[in-house]
Amino acid sequence: MEYQKLSKKARGCMLVNECILAFVCTVIIGVIWHFLQDAQIPFNINFIWILAVAIWVLSLAAPFYRYERYRYRFSEEDIDVREGFLFLHRDIVPIERLHKVALESGPVDRIFGLSKVIVTTAGGDVTIRFLEEEAARKIVDRLKVRINQYAVDRRENEGEAGNYQA
Amino acid sequence: MKEKQEIIRLRNHISYIFEQAWHWIVLFACVLFSSEDSLKLGMELIQKGNIIQGLLAMGGALFVMLLVCAWYLNRWYRTTITIQDGTITSAKVTLNTRINTMSISNISNINLEQNIFEMLVGTYKLKIDTNSLSTADTTDLEILLKKKEAEEVKQLLLAMLKEQEDGEPDGEKIEEAPTDTGEFDIMQGECDIVYSNKDILKNALITMSIIEFAGALGMVVLAAGTAAVAFREEKEILAILGTLLLQFVLASSLIADFIRKFLQDFHFRAKRHGDKIYVYCGLFKKKSYVVPVDKINAVTLKYTFIGRICKRAYVKVINIGGQGEEADGMKLLLTDTYGELGRKLNILLPEFELPQIERMIKPPKRLLGIYRVYAVFSAAVAFVACECTVALTGEGGIGGMTVLAGLLAGAAVGALYLYICYMKYRASGIMYTDKTFILSRGIFTKNIQTIPYARIQFIHTKQGPLMRRLGLLEGNVSILASALSQTQYMGIFDRGDFKRLEEKFRETY
């Protein structure tokens, strides 16, 4: 199965999320600037605004890179997710080892009609973000069927399979 | 099956109240006895027959102490554990009612523990750990029972667990299960691995924290030096003894870890019995645990700093049950040479083999280039931080000296960072066998983990801009374990090595 890209709506959602974060950072920088204006420090306090500009530049650029790099694949056996801006992350999760599948959506996600699928294994969880609501629901339903199928198969094979030999 | 149809209801031994509340009782007793006047007045009133007035005169401390006792008594009475129809239910019906039910098949470990107080009373703490990581905090159980009862309950649970795992029909298996061979009987028979006191002392010394070891050694040298100087200056013998005693006290507090480890591992012995490994140890706090072999998710070979110098390691097994000191695994073998560990592990756990360290794949040399870049960056940050600190504290009037100090600080930080990275590089390694993935990591200490591919839950990789340019990847594997051991960091390796892991991992599902 080929890797799939996110829908265009995801880019907008990423952009809004990044802008909110950049806004919060700008407010914090503004507060620091206000309180340190009269303090004696070795450099001009106005330079702190360069940091704010850098944050905004990165925040505006990141969604485009992240969107281009974001790939996911739900095959019969596993889930493979690649994402990132500066650091590229990849997760490979076998469906056989899933314990729980959850569907979640935050306020910004809902504005764009997006959801995230959180898959939980015995060793932690992995989140697949920015999926279209309908697609996410289909994925969850498919995963549920697969998990149940694995549970039934495992129960049937329990008698046959011995302990693994390392 | 008789036992299974029966409802077994258990309550903590009554001494549980004292064990839980003793610190409060001691605290309030101290408060009570510290105010002599009210105590004297209260006693006089009680002697005269005015009991209530007497108690009131003794003050609120006594009242609060009684209230605490009543609180714990209520909690003891209302806390029960019920075993019924293959499930185990813990119920705490106090102000916050909490009832947890879990299947016995979810049990990963059933351990018995005993501290000094419990040894005096003759009770044992039965600890039941569950398989589930997400619910471990709410479903792990602990109950204080008389020795015989604790052993019986443990054997019953083990038999029920075996029955559920084997999928045997109801009724027969438990009676056939080795309930007659209790854990204490098993351990009292001939054990597969027994350590002598000398081995345990050696183990305590090798697993000692290097800081404490250096501190203790320093104190001994200092004591010898002080004594030599004092004798030369012909000081009074009492003054010399006083100084030596003080240094001895300081040294003994530093070697407390060594003593604790010796007591904790005293009479350490282990035995393989069927598909379980039984371990028993401890002098004052006796501890026995059972590790079901099929619940082992990884085997760790641990080298401490001293252990790396002496070429001696110890073995821990990772399963979901560990808590506190055992969060990173349960001790299976004490420190020994590599060859001897391999022989002993073959007796206890032949399913796992010790890896051939010399065959391990080392990280590519180009990784050192990344470390050098990071070292230069950290040196620059240290230089800037140093200059800013000098400027902010108003000590900027010494001109070139501050720049020199900043440069020195930067160079020191950069060199230290590079040294740590080099040590990390030396300890790093991975290896693939047919069924297991082996990874080695550390800085001053070293851990070598053997993880069956089938026990890996998922793989995570990460790649920064520099790594992308050099074809490197950083990654970790997740396994079912406590939070401390859940993510096993692999380190930075060639992209191809991760591809191989991915292929091996895919073969298991």
Side-chain angles (χ1 to χ4, degrees), chain B residues 363 371 419-428 441-443 489:
Chain B
Y371 286 152
Y419 176 68
I420 288 172
C421 287
Y422 177 70
M423 294 299 284
K424 211 159 111 177
Y425 175 83
R426 271 191 64 187
S428 216
R441 63 171 187 271
I443 299 172
Y489 179 70

Side-chain angles (χ1 to χ4, degrees), chain B residues 124-288:
Chain B
Y124 264 89
K125 207 173 273 148
L126 182 75
K127 285 183 160 184
I128 302 164
D129 296 326
T130 55
N131 260 338
S132 170
L133 185 75
S134 52
T135 59
D137 292 339
T138 50
T139 54
D140 285 358
L141 301 173
E142 218 178 82
I143 188 160
L144 189 73
L145 299 168
K146 285 297 274 185
K147 181 184 170 180
K148 193 166 172 275
E149 202 181 1
E151 180 61 18
E152 278 171 8
V153 173
K154 181 175 178 176
Q155 287 310 317
L156 174 71
L157 289 173
L158 283 173
M160 289 171 91
L161 183 63
K162 188 169 171 53
E163 181 204 359
Q164 292 201 358
E165 280 172 354
D166 291 351
E168 291 285 328
D170 285 356
E172 288 147 36
K173 194 66 187 177
I174 285 186
E175 277 144 35
E176 286 171 17
T179 46
D180 53 328
T181 48
E183 185 187 328
F184 289 96
D185 299 328
I186 291 170
M187 298 312 291
Q188 268 156 24
E190 200 180 316
C191 285
D192 296 326
I193 308 289
V194 180
Y195 287 94
S196 66
N197 287 348
K198 193 180 152 195
D199 292 332
I200 294 160
L201 266 172
K202 222 185 280 175
N203 175 73
L205 190 70
I206 290 171
T207 55
M208 206 174 151
S209 147
I210 184 62
I211 296 165
E212 288 182 356
F213 181 77
L217 202 68
M219 282 297 165
V220 171
V221 172
L222 196 68
T226 315
V229 170
F231 277 117
R232 200 189 306 144
E233 289 175 1
E234 293 174 350
K235 279 189 179 173
E236 276 184 34
I237 192 75
L238 274 177
I240 298 167
L241 285 176
T243 318
L244 286 177
L245 187 70
L246 181 69
Q247 274 155 6
F248 174 75
V249 170
L250 284 171
S252 44
S253 68
L254 286 167
I255 57 166
D257 187 46
F258 166 78
I259 296 163
R260 189 179 55 80
K261 278 182 175 144
F262 175 75
L263 298 176
Q264 184 181 287
D265 293 331
F266 187 78
H267 203 5
F268 192 99
R269 52 197 196 274
K271 184 171 186 160
R272 173 75 181 248
H273 187 77
D275 56 357
K276 290 183 180 70
I277 300 168
Y278 293 77
V279 180
Y280 190 88
C281 59
L283 181 62
F284 295 124
K285 188 177 177 180
K286 285 180 181 165
K287 197 172 180 182
S288 85

